[in-house]
Amino acid sequence: MDPFHGACEIVELRDELVASQHSKETNRLSGGPIVDDRTEKFSRQKTAGRYTLEDEINKLFEAIELRASARGLGPSCQFSKGSSQISASKKPIRGGISQASGIGISESVTLKQALRGLRISHASEVAAMKRVSKSTASSKVAEAVAVKRLYRAVVVEANDSGLTLDESKGSLLQISLVPEESKLNSSEKISSQATREENLGSTVHSSPQFAVPATTEISMIKAQLEEGIGPVPTEVGTQALTLKLGQEGKLKSALSLCCSNISNRTETLSKDTTASKDIESKRAMMKFGKNLKLNFSSSLLNSSASSKVKKSVSNSPRVVNPVPKNNCFPNKKMKKEVSSACSSSNTCIADVDSALSPSASKVVCQAQNSNQNVLKEPACPAFSRTCLDVNVSLSNADYKANKSVQGLDSCNKRNFDAKASECSRSREAADFSQSSKSSLGAYSSTTCISDESNVCGSSCSGSRPHMSKDLRWEAIRRVEMQHGSLDLRHFKLLKRLGCGDLGTVYLAELTGTNCLFAVKIMDNESLGSRKKMPRALTERDILQVLDHPFLPTLFAYFTTNKFSILVMEYCPGGDLHILRQKQPGSIFTEQAARFYVAEVLLALEYLHMLGIVYRDLKPENILVREDGHIMLSDFDLSLRCTVKPTLVKASLSLPTPSKGISGSCVGCICTDPFCVQPSWVQVPCFTPRHVSTPTNIRKLKSNSMTQVPQLLAEPTNARSHSFVGTHEYLAPEIIRGEGHGNAVDWWTFGIFLYELLFGTTPFKGPGNDDTLVNVVMHSVKFPESSSVSSQAKDLIRGLLRKEPKDRFGSAKGAAEIRKHPFFKGLNWALIRCAVPPTVPKSSETGVSLTTAEENKLVEYKMSSAEHPEFDTF
Ligand SMILES: Nc1ncnc2c1ncn2[C@@H]1O[C@H](COP(=O)(O)OP(=O)(O)OP(=O)(O)O)[C@@H](O)[C@H]1O
């Protein structure tokens, strides 16, 4: 699952062989010294799994001898020279061997260092470092992926380990480092150095990805934390990492710190091209992240609020985001100040400390002024009813969030004398032609929402590593600091981007900042009267936690008496529906379609990992960014549910291609996590690569594949009986009213791919009812004249299986779909660096308005008494 990790491990192996040959060749040609054959031999032996401890010891002594002789030769010692020559042949690894191995040049080579140097073959290290240093883009993306995955693997659960803690110390957060798969007893947790060495070795060579170590590596992790991130505010015991916390409210910040440290550490690792021990650390950090469990000591969290909080998080694996290093947004301390400073003002930055549960922090940035404050309103019975089947039991923090939610709704119940900015359910033609497909949203009996949601609240920017460095955060923060709160009057609305069921979206500039946003303005009264408030809240709550390159960022939201406003990332390239219509024959080429569906697949995978079933996939909801990559939008129909990420050790059962399809892509180069392609080259992700892979590597790869644990985070238990979606995209189980779950996204994914390739949806009938009948009764058919590949058709067939349980992706999610031959040759890890099929022209992306638009330009100066009419365009 983790492309970077897997790729890195195998690259080492492959590069080791290639680099070794290359090195020999170069030296032969240049007349230079031959690369240390012993190293090479050792490396080969190790690769073949035949080296022994005896070999290591022999090697150690040889190395020490070498060092001794080198010393005798003065500063420019021979071995050092040799090393640099080795390095030179494997540029850009400078000093990779010498510093990393600690052999031959160091004045104070310790036994430990020497052993460490031998644990990974020199050539491997150099190759790995080469990979790390060369692939800037690769590492950037892959690191992000890797770090993200670390967070995903963090499992928060109640402590039932019975580990004794000093109660006199007050509330403690205990972070136990235990294997994901099984809870080991304490004696097992304390692993010996030798065992660790062994584990590390086996991890590297047999199952580098998500390998679950046999023993816990507490001391190693502790050492790495200290070594890599400096003083850690923890007491590290032999069995657990214990954070002393004065109050449970610090929990979130502690977790953030912890994850931030991992993040920083990973970042550091990517930059540091000299320390091969960092490669080891990196592996360990990966393992650390993957195997980290945060155990709350239930006995120590003694307040009822605490126990509720514990309950709310106990079975709910959640993403714990780090505090970004160079975050433009106020740091925790700053937030506190702002928080208290703005207590009497309209807008409040998140107070992380008060936001223990994910949902609690959802109230951040909400208006709190008594005039405009809808958060403090009494609970609204109507909304409570709506939520009855949603929130089974509320934690303290959940309650807070819900209260705000109720307040928001109750606000709608009050009589604001505003004109409702009613938008028709069907899409209006705004600036460009719109599809006739409109979304159905009937929240009839949705279950499985919220209480155990995996959705993690955030303080707008504070916990979004992906977008945290975006300048727009800083711009917003500055306005908030200047004016005390963010309001509509701070935005200059430039033009209307579109109108949806919930509200109207405008392109807006944050006055005086040159920052553009998509501002969605929803009329509270209209939402209330049409019972759309839960949908609006769902959208807001989901947007608030997203931090992914193919998903929108919510920069702020606030509510006035009349409006609820979302301030989102602006996407200037229109939507895929429009883009498809501009293509020759109104269809995308297969290559272009592969690009778009691949990015959508990654976005869906991310959503599923957060426990969000999207449910409204269609080209109209895929916006095109300025750089041509996509952004999935519109979350008001999404279903939130519990997801429990699990590691499945067995090999994935790959989708079985139909007759005529060449075999699965297990052996292909790019689509598996062990991709060994050089990643620093321009990424032709969307044309199959035909790189010949040495037989031994192929063999090793396919062997490894059978052993690789796979992270699965598919919300398979999600169930809803709502009739939601878009007619042509509705899955049969939704139409049949059987209850549906995650598999609906894979159905819509199939329809989506079909539409991109064939220009129409497969079950479209003359009317909506006919369409629904077709969906349930008819099997998918392809136009005969089409030149679409059999792989594409096979994938579509697999995705459009009527029975959800038989559908591709329903059991194992995106990982299963990614391996389909249709995606063969696609470099998933670097898809973000790939050149998109279409990049919007600057005129499309610019904000230059026509004279008519200029005339319509309205600068809203909001006051509590005045409310602008937004539909003036
Ligand atoms: N971040 C954005 N950047 C650019 N345009 C956007 C953005 N968000 C929305 N839009 C445009 O505004 C239109 C309205 O979006 P909105 O999400 O309100 O409604 P919708 O997509 O029609 O769905 P629904 O009716 O289900 O809410 C979209 O069709 C899209 O063209």
Side-chain angles (χ1 to χ4, degrees):
M1 276 297 288
D2 181 348
F4 177 81
H5 196 64
C8 184
E9 303 295 345
I10 286 293
V11 163
E12 276 183 54
L13 178 63
R14 191 199 187 198
D15 283 0
E16 181 182 344
L17 298 172
V18 175
S20 166
Q21 279 167 6
H22 176 66
S23 171
K24 267 176 122 179
E25 198 64 31
T26 311
N27 285 328
R28 204 176 53 235
L29 291 173
S30 65
I34 301 297
V35 177
D36 188 348
D37 266 333
R38 288 167 301 182
T39 306
E40 195 184 356
K41 188 176 155 203
F42 178 77
S43 169
R44 278 201 305 272
Q45 283 175 339
K46 192 175 174 184
T47 304
R50 280 184 276 111
Y51 78 104
T52 63
L53 183 62
E54 199 178 62
D55 288 325
E56 287 201 355
I57 293 167
N58 287 338
K59 184 73 189 164
L60 170 63
F61 285 113
E62 283 169 22
I64 292 168
E65 275 169 33
L66 275 168
R67 179 172 65 90
S69 62
R71 268 197 196 141
L73 293 173
S76 56
C77 68
Q78 215 170 34
F79 194 84
S80 186
K81 193 178 161 198
S83 297
S84 70
Q85 277 160 339
I86 294 168
S87 296
S89 69
K90 297 174 184 174
K91 273 184 179 177
I93 312 302
R94 279 188 295 276
I97 291 174
S98 56
Q99 285 183 36
S101 66
I103 295 174
I105 59 149
S106 169
E107 281 301 307
S108 55
V109 175
T110 64
L111 183 63
K112 191 178 159 197
Q113 283 172 315
L115 280 170
R116 182 187 283 157
L118 290 172
R119 197 164 55 230
I120 302 174
S121 77
H122 297 170
S124 299
E125 290 171 17
V126 170
M129 294 318 299
K130 178 178 161 192
R131 169 86 173 189
V132 168
S133 62
K134 267 195 172 179
S135 58
T136 318
S138 156
S139 63
K140 201 172 138 198
V141 176
E143 294 288 349
V145 172
V147 171
K148 200 81 199 170
R149 284 169 202 276
L150 291 188
Y151 307 142
R152 285 180 197 139
V154 172
V155 179
V156 181
E157 64 170 27
N159 178 17
D160 55 359
S161 64
L163 295 173
T164 52
L165 293 167
D166 185 354
E167 291 202 31
S168 66
K169 288 175 183 169
S171 294
L172 296 171
L173 161 66
Q174 182 186 335
I175 300 179
S176 290
L177 305 168
V178 296
E180 175 71 33
E181 290 292 291
S182 60
K183 286 196 171 178
L184 304 170
N185 62 39
S186 23
S187 63
E188 284 170 315
K189 285 177 185 171
I190 310 165
S191 61
S192 70
Q193 175 72 19
T195 318
R196 277 189 272 121
E197 300 274 323
E198 208 175 287
N199 287 339
L200 195 59
S202 69
T203 300
V204 171
H205 293 289
S206 63
S207 54
Q209 197 184 19
F210 293 105
V212 180
T215 56
T216 317
E217 300 182 348
I218 303 289
S219 55
M220 182 169 72
I221 289 158
K222 179 195 171 192
Q224 282 157 357
L225 283 173
E226 287 168 353
E227 186 181 283
I229 57 178
V232 180
T234 59
E235 278 183 6
V236 181
T238 51
Q239 297 174 351
L241 208 78
T242 305
L243 296 183
K244 278 194 222 173
L245 298 174
Q247 53 184 24
E248 65 275 11
K250 303 279 186 194
L251 173 59
K252 181 165 177 158
S253 49
L255 296 182
S256 293
L257 174 65
C258 184
C259 290
S260 164
N261 287 340
I262 297 171
S263 169
N264 294 343
R265 179 70 176 137
T266 313
E267 231 173 73
T268 312
L269 287 167
S270 72
K271 287 176 189 158
D272 185 359
T273 57
T274 57
S276 79
K277 63 182 176 184
D278 278 357
I279 297 174
E280 298 168 51
S281 304
K282 187 168 181 175
R283 287 190 195 112
M285 292 305 289
M286 293 297 183
K287 289 202 292 183
F288 166 65
K290 283 163 206 152
N291 298 313
L292 178 65
K293 282 191 175 186
L294 305 177
N295 291 341
F296 296 100
S297 174
S298 54
S299 62
L300 297 170
L301 295 174
N302 45 16
S303 70
S304 61
S306 304
S307 59
K308 279 178 180 172
V309 168
K310 177 184 72 64
K311 186 171 183 294
S312 87
V313 296
S314 65
N315 295 315
S316 180
R318 46 182 276 212
V319 173
V320 181
N321 293 317
V323 177
K325 230 175 20 178
N326 299 321
N327 189 358
C328 296
F329 217 56
N331 58 24
K332 194 181 136 204
K333 195 177 161 199
M334 206 163 164
K335 276 178 201 157
K336 262 188 175 174
E337 286 163 11
V338 176
S339 177
S340 54
C342 73
S343 58
S344 60
S345 64
N346 294 349
T347 309
C348 185
I349 313 286
D351 181 354
V352 194
D353 287 354
S354 67
L356 259 180
S357 100
S359 46
S361 58
K362 289 168 193 164
V363 298
V364 299
C365 300
Q366 196 90 15
Q368 292 193 346
N369 180 283
S370 57
N371 261 349
Q372 300 180 337
N373 181 3
V374 289
L375 301 181
K376 291 178 183 169
E377 295 295 329
C380 166
F383 184 76
S384 300
R385 262 202 313 280
T386 316
C387 288
L388 265 182
D389 57 343
V390 172
N391 293 308
V392 182
S393 67
L394 294 174
S395 71
N396 191 34
D398 283 331
Y399 171 72
K400 268 201 311 195
N402 210 36
K403 208 167 136 194
S404 71
V405 161
Q406 290 164 339
L408 195 58
D409 195 54
S410 74
C411 172
N412 303 317
K413 304 281 170 223
R414 290 170 25 149
N415 299 319
F416 297 114
D417 57 341
K419 293 178 199 165
S421 62
E422 290 281 349
C423 286
S424 127
R425 174 178 266 195
S426 58
R427 287 149 204 275
E428 287 178 10
D431 297 319
F432 28 69
S433 76
Q434 294 270 341
S435 157
S436 62
K437 295 193 286 288
S438 58
S439 306
L440 307 170
Y443 275 70
S444 54
S445 58
T446 302
T447 55
C448 195
I449 305 182
S450 240
D451 185 45
E452 300 214 349
S453 168
N454 198 25
V455 175
C456 168
S458 74
S459 60
C460 289
S461 78
S463 53
R464 298 184 195 191
H466 163 63
M467 286 295 290
S468 63
K469 287 171 188 155
D470 193 294
L471 290 176
R472 284 167 287 192
W473 290 117
E474 179 59 23
I476 287 184
R477 192 184 65 82
R478 244 187 280 129
V479 171
E480 280 175 333
M481 298 291 262
Q482 214 175 331
H483 300 279
S485 67
L486 198 63
D487 202 316
L488 260 182
R489 72 195 139 97
H490 300 127
F491 291 92
K492 191 165 137 185
L493 304 192
L494 301 175
K495 68 174 180 178
R496 191 172 65 181
L497 295 169
C499 186
D501 197 20
L502 301 182
T504 307
V505 181
Y506 295 91
L507 170 63
E509 184 190 318
L510 186 59
T511 315
T513 66
N514 277 333
C515 288
L516 294 176
F517 296 92
V519 176
K520 184 166 183 170
I521 300 173
M522 295 166 282
D523 184 278
N524 292 333
E525 194 176 270
S526 168
L527 289 177
S529 63
R530 295 185 300 135
K531 298 191 169 34
K532 304 285 183 192
M533 188 55 77
R535 277 175 58 181
L537 294 168
T538 298
E539 176 161 47
R540 185 202 64 185
D541 290 350
I542 290 174
L543 280 172
Q544 206 181 327
V545 300
L546 303 181
D547 184 35
H548 190 277
F550 306 140
L551 293 168
T553 298
L554 178 69
F555 286 94
Y557 66 86
F558 49 91
T559 308
T560 68
N561 281 345
K562 184 167 167 50
F563 300 110
S564 293
I565 292 115
L566 301 174
V567 181
M568 302 174 288
E569 188 182 356
Y570 168 54
C571 219
D575 64 49
L576 270 195
H577 178 70
I578 307 295
L579 192 58
R580 180 182 63 74
Q581 288 173 333
K582 289 180 185 166
Q583 307 301 309
S586 292
I587 52 168
F588 285 109
T589 63
E590 200 162 325
Q591 201 170 318
R594 180 160 41 235
F595 172 86
Y596 291 122
V597 295
E599 294 203 334
V600 168
L601 184 60
L602 292 180
L604 288 176
E605 181 178 37
Y606 174 89
L607 290 173
H608 283 196
M609 285 194 174
L610 292 177
I612 298 164
V613 182
Y614 179 55
R615 301 203 290 193
D616 199 17
L617 182 62
K618 56 185 173 184
E620 291 84 340
N621 282 343
I622 315 293
L623 304 182
V624 181
R625 289 177 186 276
E626 192 173 16
D627 61 6
H629 291 272
I630 62 109
M631 183 177 104
L632 198 56
S633 73
D634 207 358
F635 297 90
D636 57 325
L637 295 188
S638 298
L639 169 73
R640 286 174 292 158
C641 55
T642 307
V643 64
K644 177 132 183 127
T646 45
L647 277 177
V648 178
K649 275 187 175 174
S651 62
L652 276 181
S653 55
L654 300 168
T656 320
S658 312
K659 260 188 174 178
I661 306 292
S662 58
S664 76
C665 62
V666 173
C668 77
I669 298 301
C670 290
T671 57
D672 67 50
F674 296 100
C675 173
V676 293
Q677 293 174 93
S679 54
W680 51 87
V681 294
Q682 177 63 50
V683 193
C685 279
F686 309 102
T687 43
R689 276 165 183 262
H690 301 288
V691 180
S692 61
T693 315
T695 325
N696 55 343
I697 293 179
R698 266 205 305 268
K699 208 169 160 188
L700 185 102
K701 282 175 68 186
S702 63
N703 284 344
S704 301
M705 283 302 289
T706 60
Q707 300 164 5
V708 174
Q710 178 75 51
L711 177 66
L712 295 177
E714 188 67 8
T716 45
N717 291 328
R719 274 293 160 270
S720 168
H721 289 269
S722 307
F723 193 76
V724 293
T726 302
H727 281 95
E728 292 167 48
Y729 275 76
L730 281 178
E733 61 267 32
I734 295 181
I735 298 169
R736 293 193 296 248
E738 293 167 349
H740 63 267
N742 62 310
V744 296
D745 277 349
W746 305 126
W747 172 275
T748 55
F749 188 71
I751 305 274
F752 173 61
L753 175 57
Y754 189 106
E755 184 170 4
L756 296 192
L757 291 172
F758 298 103
T760 182
T761 53
F763 304 110
K764 189 173 167 47
N768 284 340
D769 289 347
D770 305 291
T771 302
L772 299 186
V773 169
N774 292 344
V775 170
V776 176
M777 306 295 290
H778 297 157
S779 57
V780 61
K781 289 194 174 57
F782 302 101
E784 277 172 15
S785 56
S786 161
S787 59
V788 169
S789 73
S790 53
Q791 284 90 346
K793 289 177 188 167
D794 183 75
L795 176 57
I796 291 169
R797 270 191 222 100
L799 291 163
L800 296 184
R801 287 181 186 152
K802 308 280 184 203
E803 280 309 313
K805 64 177 170 37
D806 300 333
R807 204 169 292 154
F808 281 180
S810 61
K812 290 174 179 172
E816 195 176 349
I817 297 168
R818 276 156 54 151
K819 296 189 182 304
H820 190 275
F822 176 68
F823 293 112
K824 184 174 180 178
L826 195 149
N827 191 329
W828 292 96
L830 294 178
I831 196 164
R832 239 180 109 190
C833 308
V835 179
T838 309
V839 178
K841 292 190 192 107
S842 54
S843 59
E844 287 173 287
T845 61
V847 290
S848 51
L849 301 175
T850 62
T851 318
E853 283 171 327
E854 293 268 16
N855 293 337
K856 287 178 181 176
L857 201 153
V858 180
E859 191 172 351
Y860 291 99
K861 302 286 179 193
M862 288 290 292
S863 72
S864 53
E866 292 175 54
H867 294 295
E869 171 53 66
F870 286 104
D871 285 326
T872 52
F873 294 103

